[in-house]
């Protein structure tokens, strides 16, 4: 008899490869393309340094 402590949960059987239909494959491909585009934009932005204006400016008024 075990007293105290946590009981270990039973291990779940590993699921095999999932079956994807055409719609799922389209969504996955679209997501990959978006991630690739974002990565390229980040690379371009890092090469140019800061983009646009100079950020927030403080006014001289008190």
């Amino acid at each position: 008899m075990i007293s105290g402590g946590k009981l270990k949960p039973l291990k779940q059987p590993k699921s095999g490869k999932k079956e994807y239909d055409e719609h799922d494959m389209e969504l996955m491909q679209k997501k990959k393309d978006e991630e690739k585009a974002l990565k390229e934009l980040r690379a371009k932005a890092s090469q140019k340094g800061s983009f646009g204006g100079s950020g927030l400016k403080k006014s001289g008024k008190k």
Side-chain angles (χ1 to χ4, degrees), residues 23 35-37 39-40 48:
H23 183 69
E35 287 177 8
K36 186 177 180 183
K39 192 178 277 189
E40 289 174 2
K48 291 182 181 178

Side-chain angles (χ1 to χ4, degrees), residues 3-59:
S3 60
K6 290 186 179 179
L7 294 175
K8 292 185 179 179
L10 296 174
K11 290 187 177 180
Q12 296 293 325
K14 291 185 179 180
S15 59
K17 290 190 175 185
K18 293 183 179 179
E19 296 289 326
Y20 296 114
D21 62 0
E22 290 180 21
H23 183 69
D24 290 336
M25 294 298 281
E26 273 183 40
L27 290 175
M28 288 171 60
Q29 185 63 37
K30 188 175 180 182
K31 190 174 182 181
K32 281 184 185 178
D33 292 342
E34 287 176 357
E35 287 177 8
K36 186 177 180 183
L38 277 174
K39 192 178 277 189
E40 289 174 2
L41 285 174
R42 285 189 189 128
K44 284 183 183 179
S46 66
Q47 288 175 357
K48 291 182 181 178
S50 64
F51 45 86
S54 60
L56 297 174
K57 293 185 179 180
K58 294 183 179 178
S59 64

